């Protein structure tokens, strides 16, 4: 009997498809980083506000909180104040990771009375969903108010581009 090579599955084509899927996943993550946060603000009085920020899973809770703090600084300046204090805060997340089904590939060789098979497993693609949420209540102060000395300076939080950020009015990304 002649040596025969049995190929159970076309692994080359599968490899090309998986590579394309990983490239697509990378591009989706890149898009998520570019526009991964959103915020909304509710003025609760003339000098208090509630800032709510939502961040994509890739942002994590720390960077989502940093975006919320910058958004609080923007809202402070837009409202005509200079400083703010965080008087209450809460955070939550519902981020989860699931995986698509994996697959097995078997390559076998038959030679005479011997049969040799190799099976490899390729795990499925992870799918991340959910978001991080941060909610902060702030009290805003003018520079000349008595309690302003202990409050956070809004312009310092935003850095040298504070004017540009205030004109845009929102922080749309958690990237540093």
């Amino acid at each position: 009997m002649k040596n025969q090579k049995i190929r159970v599955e076309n692994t080359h084509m599968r490899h090309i498809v998986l590579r394309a899927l990983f490239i697509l996943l990378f591009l989706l993550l890149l898009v998520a980083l570019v526009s991964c946060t959103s915020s909304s603000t509710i003025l609760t009085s003339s000098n208090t506000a509630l800032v709510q920020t939502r961040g994509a899973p890739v942002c994590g809770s720390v960077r989502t909180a940093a975006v919320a703090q910058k958004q609080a600084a923007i809202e402070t300046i837009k409202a005509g104040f200079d400083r703010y204090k965080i008087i209450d805060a809460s955070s939550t997340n519902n981020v989860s990771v699931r995986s698509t089904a994996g697959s097995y590939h078997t390559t076998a060789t038959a030679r005479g009375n011997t049969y040799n098979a190799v099976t490899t497993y390729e795990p499925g693609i992870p799918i991340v969903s959910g978001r991080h949420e941060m909610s902060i209540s702030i009290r805003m102060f003018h520079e000349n108010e008595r309690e302003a000395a202990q409050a956070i300076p809004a312009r310092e939080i935003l850095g040298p581009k504070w004017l540009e950020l205030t004109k845009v009015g929102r922080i749309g990304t958690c990237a540093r």
Side-chain angles (χ1 to χ4, degrees):
M1 187 171 178
K2 274 186 164 179
N3 289 346
Q4 296 178 0
K5 187 161 184 169
I6 302 169
R7 189 151 193 121
V8 175
E9 190 170 319
N10 185 349
T11 56
H12 179 68
M13 186 60 153
R14 180 132 179 93
H15 179 69
I16 291 171
V17 169
L18 283 176
R19 179 170 279 186
L21 286 173
F22 282 119
I23 291 170
L24 179 64
L25 182 63
F26 173 76
L27 291 174
L28 288 173
L29 284 174
L30 188 62
V31 169
L33 271 177
V34 171
S35 150
C36 63
T37 63
S38 64
S39 296
S40 60
T41 303
I42 302 167
L43 290 174
T44 53
S45 74
S46 62
N47 67 343
T48 60
L50 174 64
V51 178
Q52 297 175 313
T53 300
R54 291 149 302 283
V58 69
C59 290
S61 58
V62 173
R63 287 191 281 172
T64 300
V67 170
Q69 185 174 25
K70 287 181 179 181
Q71 192 64 44
I74 288 171
E75 298 302 331
T76 298
I77 295 168
K78 283 172 53 178
F81 293 91
D82 305 299
R83 296 173 172 261
Y84 67 95
K85 276 187 186 180
I86 297 173
I87 54 178
D88 193 20
S90 66
S91 67
T92 185
N93 83 70
N94 62 356
V95 176
S96 65
V97 179
R98 295 178 188 87
S99 179
T100 59
S103 61
Y104 292 93
H105 306 281
T106 301
T107 303
T109 306
R111 289 190 181 132
N113 291 336
T114 60
Y115 178 79
N116 185 19
V118 176
T119 300
T120 57
Y121 174 73
E122 289 186 28
I125 298 171
I127 299 172
V128 181
S129 62
R131 65 184 180 198
H132 295 275
E133 297 178 2
M134 182 75 192
S135 179
I136 58 176
S137 295
I138 60 170
R139 183 172 185 288
M140 300 172 281
F141 299 92
H142 293 289
E143 197 65 57
N144 59 358
E145 290 183 57
R146 187 173 53 89
E147 292 183 52
Q150 296 175 349
I152 300 167
R155 287 169 186 81
E156 279 184 31
I157 292 298
L158 297 174
K161 296 184 178 183
W162 68 267
L163 187 58
E164 294 170 36
L165 292 170
T166 305
K167 284 181 182 177
V168 171
R170 68 177 195 85
I171 304 292
T173 180
C174 62
R176 294 183 177 130

